[in-house]
C-alpha cells in the first residue's frame, strides 16, 4: 500500500508537469506494510466435507472448480477468474475472492500476495441505488413541461394527464359532474354546438427557412409544398425511409422562403432529428435551416360554430370572415391591442375552427381573454379527452394509428403520395407487402348493439369464425364514446377494409371477455362532407 | 378597449419555490427577464455577409467556437456550426433585419442566472461538462444538459456567474433542481 501511494503520487505529479502545471508535493500518508496475516490463515475449506463446497455464492463456484482450474494450468488469478467465473458476479468478488484466491495459493504452494488479486472494477464499495438515482425521484423522475395555459387550467380545477414530458389538461370537471366521461361529453357537445378553447401549444413547431425550404419540404413530405401559396396551410404526411408513416401535421407558408411546421406532440424531437439528418447528411447542398419554436408560441385552438365571433372580438380590426380567411388560410396579425400573433384557419375537431398563436409570455393572459370573449357564446375550455373524442369522430390518425406499422395507404392517404416528385420513403413504400390489397386499412366501427362499449386492442374476426390468431383480420386502434353518434365508436385496421363497408364482424377482446358484433363504416363519423370546417 | 395582455414568466412560486440560506449566501439564482433572443443561422453562401452585418450593427465578431461574444447590450452565443443565439438587453431590440434565417426565441427560452462563490459547485452537480476555471471560463459557452434538460450555458464573469437558457416549458423543473442542488450550499433563490 505504501509503495502504491508513493508511485501514484509521482505519476500524478509527472502528469501535471506534462500538462504545463507546477506539480505540488504529495505527502504520502503514513501506512504500515501489510503482513501476510492481513489475508488470514484459513482454513479455507472444510477438510472432511464430501458435499459441494461453494466459494462464490453468486456464481456457484466451488472448491473443486478452483482445484480443476489449477489442474488445467489456469493458475494465474486472471485465468482462474475467466475459467471459473469466480468474482464475476454483481458483487465483483467482494464475498468470494479472498477465499478463492487463498485456495489457489494453497494449491500452488504460494502466499496470497504471490498469487495476486484480480483487477476490481467500480463500484469498489457498495453504492446505494438511491445514490445512483440522485434527485430523479417521484415526480422528478423525468422533467415536466408545463404549457402556457397550465396555471389557468389549475385554477379551473382541470384534471391533468402526462403526455411524454408534457402535463396536459385532460378535462375540466364542473360541480355535479360524476366522472371524466360526463365532463368530456359536455366539452365535446359545447364545441360541436357553440365554441371551446384548447391549448394546442404542446404540438411540435419548427421554423423552416432558406432559399431551398420549399424544395426540402417536397422531399420530406409525401405531398407537395412548393405549390403551397403564401398565407396558406397544408396537411402533410412524412414517411420513414422504410415507407412507414412517421408523423403528420400542418405546415404554413409565411413567405417564399419561410415555413412554419407543426408536428405531433410526442414526435416533435424525432421529427427535428429527422429533418436535421436529411439536411446534414442526405442533401447538404440545400440551403434550409430549422429552429424549434415549440416553446416560443402559445397556440390555442378556438373551435366551434361560434368561433369566428370569438376570434373577431380578439383581433385588432382585421377581417376574419370566410372570404378573408378561408379554411386552411393563415395570417400574421396583432391581437388585443398590438400583440403580434399568427392566426390559422385549421380544424382538428371538424368544426369551424382557428388556431391563434401568440408569444408564450402572453399565453396565460391570452387564454383568459379568449374565455372572456367567448362568454356570450357559452365557451368552455376543453382538454385532451375531448380532443381525442373529436379526432376519432373525424377519423384523424393519431399515435395509435401512426404506430410504426402503418403505411400512407393504410391510413387512407395513399392518393396523397405525389407521383411527380421523389420523397423519403417513396421507394420502399412500393414494396409488395405495402401494396397488397389484402393489407389492413383504416375503417370506422360501430357496435351493432348501440349500448355496448367498444374497446381498443380488440381483434377483428369474421362472424362465424373462431376467435384464434389464424382468423385475425385486424385490430381496433382507438375508441371513444361519441356524443354526436350516441354510441361508442372506433377506428381499426381491417384487411380489405375499404371493400367491406356495411359488413358485420366481431371485435374479440379475450383479455376483457369482450366479443361484440360491429358494423364496418367510414372512419369519418361527423360531417363527412367537411361542410362545417369550411363554413 | 380592454387592457393590454399581461406578459408572464413561466415561473410561479408553487412550481419554482424560493430558497433562503440559513447562513452565508453561497450563490444567488434569478430569472433573467426582458431579453430579446433569436436563433440565427447563416444562409448558404452568405456567411461573410452575415458576419459583416453583425460587425457593422453590433461591433462584434461572430464566434466560430463555443464562445459568447458580448458588446454593450448585445451578445452572440455560438450554437453549432453557422448558428448562434443572439441576445440583447436593449428595449425593442430586433434581430430580424440580419441577412440570415432568424427566428424569435424571446419567449421560447427561459434564461436563469446562477452567481456566487458556490455557483460552480451547484451547477457541477447538475451538468457533466468540466466547469474548472481552466476548462470553462468567462466567455465560454456550451450546449449541454442539466437535470436531463437541454441547456445553452455560458459563463459571464469570475464570481463565477453562469447563465443558461432552456426551453421555456422546462424552466420550473430546472429551477427546482437548482434549488435542490443549492439546498446545502447557501442558495438564495427568488422570483422577480
Amino acid at each position: 500500500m505504501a509503495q502504491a501511494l508513493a508511485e501514484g503520487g509521482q505519476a500524478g505529479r509527472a502528469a501535471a508537469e506534462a500538462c504545463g502545471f507546477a506539480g505540488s508535493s504529495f505527502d504520502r500518508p503514513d501506512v504500515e506494510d501489510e503482513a501476510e496475516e492481513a489475508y488470514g490463515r484459513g482454513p479455507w475449506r472444510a477438510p472432511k466435507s464430501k458435499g459441494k463446497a461453494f466459494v462464490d455464492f453468486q456464481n456457484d463456484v466451488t472448491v473443486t472448480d478452483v482445484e480443476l482450474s489449477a489442474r488445467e494450468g489456469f493458475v494465474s488469478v486472471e485465468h482462474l477468474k475467466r475459467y471459473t467465473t469466480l468474482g464475476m458476479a454483481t458483487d465483483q468478488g467482494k464475498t468470494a475472492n479472498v477465499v478463492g484466491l487463498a485456495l489457489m495459493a494453497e494449491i500452488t504452494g504460494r502466499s496470497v500476495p504471490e498469487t495476486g488479486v484480480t483487477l476490481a472494477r467500480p463500484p469498489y464499495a457498495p453504492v446505494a441505488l438511491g445514490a445512483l438515482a440522485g434527485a430523479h425521484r417521484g415526480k422528478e423522475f423525468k422533467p415536466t413541461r408545463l404549457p402556457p395555459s397550465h396555471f389557468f387550467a389549475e385554477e379551473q380545477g382541470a384534471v391533468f394527464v402526462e403526455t411524454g414530458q408534457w402535463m396536459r389538461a385532460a378535462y375540466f370537471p364542473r360541480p355535479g359532474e360524476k366522472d371524466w366521461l360526463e365532463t368530456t361529453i359536455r366539452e365535446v357537445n359545447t364545441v360541436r354546438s357553440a365554441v371551446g378553447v384548447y391549448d394546442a401549444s404542446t404540438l411540435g413547431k419548427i421554423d423552416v427557412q432558406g432559399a431551398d425550404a420549399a424544395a426540402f419540404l417536397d422531399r420530406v413530405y409525401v405531398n407537395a409544398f412548393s405549390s403551397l401559396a403564401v398565407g396558406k396551410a397544408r396537411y402533410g404526411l412524412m414517411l420513414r425511409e422504410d415507407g412507414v408513416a412517421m408523423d403528420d401535421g400542418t405546415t404554413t407558408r409565411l413567405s417564399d422562403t419561410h415555413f412554419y411546421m407543426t408536428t405531433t406532440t410526442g414526435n416533435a424531437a424525432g421529427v427535428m432529428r429527422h429533418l436535421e439528418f436529411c439536411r446534414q447528411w442526405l442533401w447538404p447542398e440545400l440551403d434550409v435551416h430549422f429552429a424549434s419554436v415549440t416553446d416560443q408560441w402559445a397556440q390555442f385552438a378556438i373551435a366551434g360554430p361560434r368561433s369566428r365571433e370569438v376570434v373577431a372580438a380578439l383581433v385588432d380590426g382585421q377581417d376574419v370572415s370566410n372570404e378573408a380567411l378561408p379554411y386552411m388560410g393563415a395570417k400574421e396579425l396583432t391581437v388585443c391591442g398590438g400583440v403580434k400573433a399568427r392566426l390559422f384557419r385549421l380544424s382538428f375537431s371538424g368544426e369551424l375552427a382557428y388556431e391563434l398563436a401568440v408569444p408564450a409570455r402572453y399565453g396565460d393572459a391570452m387564454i383568459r381573454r379568449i374565455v372572456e370573449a367567448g362568454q356570450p357564446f357559452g365557451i368552455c375550455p376543453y382538454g385532451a379527452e375531448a380532443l381525442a373524442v373529436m379526432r376519432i369522430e373525424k377519423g384523424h390518425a393519431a399515435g395509435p394509428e401512426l404506430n410504426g406499422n402503418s403505411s400512407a395507404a393504410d391510413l387512407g392517404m395513399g392518393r396523397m403520395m405525389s407521383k411527380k416528385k421523389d420523397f423519403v420513403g417513396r421507394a420502399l413504400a412500393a414494396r409488395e407487402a405495402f401494396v397488397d390489397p389484402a393489407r389492413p386499412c383504416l375503417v370506422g366501427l360501430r357496435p351493432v348493439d348501440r349500448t355496448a362499449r367498444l374497446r381498443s386492442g380488440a381483434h377483428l374476426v369474421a362472424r362465424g369464425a373462431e376467435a384464434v390468431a389464424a382468423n385475425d383480420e385486424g385490430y381496433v386502434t382507438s375508441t371513444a364514446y361519441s356524443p354526436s353518434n350516441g354510441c361508442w365508436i372506433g377506428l381499426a385496421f381491417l384487411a380489405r377494409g375499404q371493400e367491406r363497408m356495411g359488413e358485420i364482424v366481431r371485435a374479440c377482446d379475450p383479455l376483457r371477455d369482450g366479443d361484440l358484433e360491429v358494423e364496418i363504416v367510414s372512419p369519418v363519423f361527423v360531417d363527412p362532407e367537411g361542410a362545417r370546417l369550411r363554413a | 378597449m380592454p387592457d393590454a395582455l399581461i406578459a408572464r414568466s413561466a415561473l410561479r412560486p408553487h412550481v419554482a419555490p424560493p430558497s433562503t440560506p440559513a447562513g452565508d449566501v453561497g450563490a444567488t439564482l434569478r430569472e433573467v427577464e426582458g431579453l430579446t433572443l433569436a436563433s440565427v443561422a447563416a444562409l448558404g453562401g452568405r456567411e461573410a455577409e452575415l458576419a459583416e452585418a453583425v460587425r457593422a450593427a453590433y461591433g462584434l465578431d461572430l464566434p466560430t467556437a463555443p464562445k459568447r461574444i458580448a458588446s454593450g447590450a448585445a451578445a452572440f452565443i455560438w450554437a453549432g456550426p453557422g448558428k448562434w443565439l443572439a441576445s440583447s438587453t436593449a428595449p425593442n431590440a430586433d434581430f430580424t433585419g440580419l441577412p440570415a434565417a432568424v427566428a424569435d426565441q424571446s419567449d421560447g427560452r427561459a434564461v436563469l442566472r446562477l452567481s456566487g462563490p458556490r455557483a460552480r459547485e451547484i451547477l457541477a452537480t447538475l451538468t457533466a461538462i468540466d466547469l474548472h476555471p481552466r476548462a470553462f471560463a468567462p466567455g465560454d459557452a456550451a450546449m449541454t444538459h442539466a437535470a436531463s434538460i437541454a441547456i445553452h450555458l455560458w459563463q459571464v464573469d469570475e464570481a463565477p456567474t453562469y447563465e443558461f437558457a432552456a426551453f421555456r416549458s422546462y424552466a420550473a423543473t430546472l429551477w427546482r433542481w437548482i434549488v435542490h442542488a443549492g439546498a446545502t450550499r447557501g442558495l438564495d433563490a427568488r422570483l422577480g
Side-chain angles (χ1 to χ4, degrees):
Chain A
M1 174 65 83
Q3 191 191 346
L5 287 169
E7 281 175 12
Q10 279 163 15
R13 183 190 309 196
E17 282 167 2
C19 294
F21 301 109
S24 57
S25 71
F26 172 70
D27 295 327
R28 179 169 62 81
D30 203 15
V31 294
E32 289 176 20
D33 284 339
E34 284 154 348
E36 174 73 17
E37 287 74 15
Y39 298 94
R41 293 196 171 280
W44 306 112
R45 61 176 114 190
K48 292 190 177 161
S49 169
K50 290 209 172 75
K52 278 188 189 294
F54 287 99
V55 177
D56 187 323
F57 293 94
Q58 273 199 291
N59 270 359
D60 284 4
V61 179
T62 63
V63 171
T64 51
D65 291 329
V66 179
E67 288 171 344
L68 179 63
S69 177
R71 284 204 301 280
E72 292 280 5
F74 298 123
V75 294
S76 149
V77 288
E78 296 292 352
H79 288 151
L80 167 66
K81 176 178 178 176
R82 284 155 184 79
Y83 184 65
T84 65
T85 74
L86 174 77
M88 280 193 189
T90 52
D91 74 336
Q92 285 288 293
K94 295 291 186 298
T95 62
N97 267 7
V98 167
V99 175
L101 301 176
L103 278 170
M104 181 56 81
E106 186 180 284
I107 294 163
T108 55
R110 293 175 298 175
S111 69
V112 173
E114 280 165 1
T115 308
V117 291
T118 53
L119 279 178
R121 66 185 75 179
Y124 301 108
V127 175
L129 287 177
L132 300 176
H136 289 274
R137 282 175 293 174
K139 288 282 182 198
E140 304 291 22
F141 178 69
K142 61 181 184 197
T144 302
R145 303 181 75 174
L146 302 179
S149 68
H150 182 76
F151 304 120
F152 164 81
E154 279 183 333
E155 287 167 29
Q156 296 290 310
V159 174
F160 293 95
V161 60
E162 289 172 25
T163 308
Q165 295 178 335
W166 286 105
M167 195 64 85
R168 288 204 295 184
Y171 52 100
F172 293 81
R174 287 188 176 165
E177 290 174 345
K178 64 181 187 302
D179 60 11
W180 67 274
L181 185 56
E182 188 180 344
T183 301
T184 301
I185 290 170
R186 192 243 316 141
E187 291 174 8
V188 171
N189 285 335
T190 304
V191 173
R192 296 241 184 267
S193 65
V195 59
V197 57
Y198 175 78
D199 188 349
S201 308
T202 63
L203 289 178
K205 311 181 201 76
I206 301 173
D207 185 88
V208 183
Q209 293 187 52
D212 298 316
F216 180 89
L217 293 176
D218 277 349
R219 298 190 194 184
V220 292
Y221 279 122
V222 303
N223 47 329
F225 277 78
S226 50
S227 56
L228 184 66
V230 171
K232 293 287 182 188
R234 182 171 286 170
Y235 174 82
L237 177 71
M238 289 181 197
L239 305 185
R240 305 191 313 214
E241 193 70 78
D242 65 2
V244 170
M246 183 178 79
D247 202 68
D248 67 346
T250 59
T251 286
T252 302
R253 191 165 203 167
L254 299 174
S255 80
D256 272 354
T257 57
H258 191 183
F259 291 82
Y260 175 73
M261 173 189 286
T262 64
T263 74
T264 59
T265 297
N267 247 343
V271 170
M272 186 59 136
R273 198 160 49 233
H274 175 71
L275 299 183
E276 283 290 357
F277 172 80
C278 292
R279 179 184 82 95
Q280 294 181 29
W281 186 247
L282 300 183
W283 315 305
E285 69 281 8
L286 294 187
D287 185 32
V288 60
H289 307 274
F290 316 110
S292 171
V293 289
T294 301
D295 290 52
Q296 167 68 22
W297 296 98
Q299 190 154 327
F300 300 105
I302 303 167
R306 310 302 294 272
S307 58
R308 181 173 293 131
E309 291 155 277
V310 179
V311 170
L314 297 167
V315 297
D316 293 334
Q318 290 96 345
D319 186 0
V320 293
S321 67
N322 193 43
E323 294 69 37
L325 186 62
Y327 179 57
M328 297 306 262
K331 275 178 185 248
E332 293 186 275
L333 40 68
T334 64
V335 295
C336 302
V339 171
K340 68 172 179 178
R342 291 173 179 174
L343 180 63
F344 309 89
R345 178 90 184 271
L346 298 171
S347 177
F348 197 53
S349 59
E351 300 299 326
L352 168 68
Y354 299 82
E355 289 191 14
L356 176 61
V358 293
R361 72 183 66 182
Y362 298 112
D364 181 88
M366 190 72 245
I367 193 167
R368 293 170 200 271
R369 193 65 62 83
I370 293 167
V371 169
E372 212 176 287
Q375 285 306 341
F377 313 105
I379 197 169
C380 80
Y382 63 101
E385 289 289 350
L387 180 85
V389 169
M390 289 188 279
R391 76 100 188 156
I392 294 169
E393 287 182 331
K394 285 299 288 183
H396 292 313
E401 289 77 34
L402 294 164
N403 59 10
N405 294 311
S406 46
S407 70
D410 297 348
L411 294 164
M413 295 188 244
R415 278 180 297 179
M416 262 176 68
M417 292 198 284
S418 173
K419 291 187 173 63
K420 296 178 189 157
K421 66 181 181 74
D422 198 6
F423 54 84
V424 172
R426 188 185 65 86
L428 292 182
R431 283 178 291 170
E432 202 175 337
F434 272 122
V435 295
D436 182 351
R439 204 178 149 82
C441 65
L442 191 70
V443 296
L445 299 176
R446 198 155 45 194
V448 172
D449 170 2
R450 293 286 195 263
T451 64
R453 177 172 182 176
L454 186 58
R455 289 184 186 274
S456 298
H459 279 251
L460 302 175
V461 296
R463 265 206 282 194
E466 199 188 342
V468 294
N471 294 329
D472 191 6
E473 295 197 82
Y475 56 96
V476 182
T477 52
S478 298
T479 58
Y481 178 78
S482 166
S484 316
N485 286 250
C487 66
W488 285 81
I489 60 170
L491 300 177
F493 287 117
L494 175 68
R496 293 176 288 104
Q498 285 300 321
E499 310 158 17
R500 299 170 68 175
M501 293 297 146
E503 192 182 320
I504 310 278
V505 296
R506 281 158 56 211
C508 297
D509 183 10
L511 287 178
R512 289 169 290 200
D513 289 331
D515 187 347
L516 41 126
E517 294 196 327
V518 291
E519 184 186 353
I520 301 162
V521 296
S522 157
V524 188
F525 293 88
V526 168
D527 186 30
E529 304 78 28
R532 294 189 197 174
L533 48 81
R534 291 185 177 81
Chain B
M1 182 128 181
D3 298 335
L5 294 181
I6 297 167
R8 301 289 307 255
S9 156
L11 302 172
R12 305 277 174 99
H14 72 287
V15 293
S19 168
T20 308
D24 293 342
V25 174
T28 56
L29 175 67
R30 300 286 185 273
E31 183 179 15
V32 186
E33 294 187 85
L35 291 177
T36 298
L37 299 170
S39 46
V40 175
L43 297 169
R46 296 176 65 184
E47 294 82 357
E49 184 188 346
L50 173 62
E52 188 46 50
V54 170
R55 200 173 295 124
Y58 305 103
L60 290 170
D61 285 325
L62 277 177
T64 52
K67 299 279 179 193
R68 172 182 185 266
I69 310 289
S71 171
F76 281 79
I77 306 135
W78 190 82
K83 293 164 103 174
W84 296 270
L85 180 66
S87 153
S88 177
T89 55
N92 305 317
D94 187 0
F95 293 104
T96 53
L98 290 173
V102 179
D104 189 6
Q105 299 287 3
S106 306
D107 298 69
R109 307 281 192 277
V111 178
L112 301 181
R113 176 185 292 140
L114 182 65
S115 179
R118 303 191 75 179
R120 179 175 291 120
E121 188 185 338
I122 292 169
L123 190 56
T125 66
L126 299 177
T127 189
I129 66 162
D130 186 357
L131 297 174
H132 190 283
R134 287 201 299 257
F136 199 82
D140 281 335
M143 305 189 79
T144 182
H145 285 80
S148 310
I149 296 166
I151 61 165
H152 200 167
L153 165 73
W154 55 90
Q155 186 172 339
V156 177
D157 61 32
E158 280 168 356
T161 299
Y162 300 96
E163 291 180 349
F164 31 96
F167 287 119
R168 176 184 167 101
S169 57
Y170 285 107
T173 300
L174 187 55
W175 179 280
R176 289 195 302 276
W177 277 73
I178 298 165
V179 165
H180 185 75
T184 57
R185 299 180 171 102
L187 181 67
D188 163 23
R190 269 184 287 129
L191 298 179

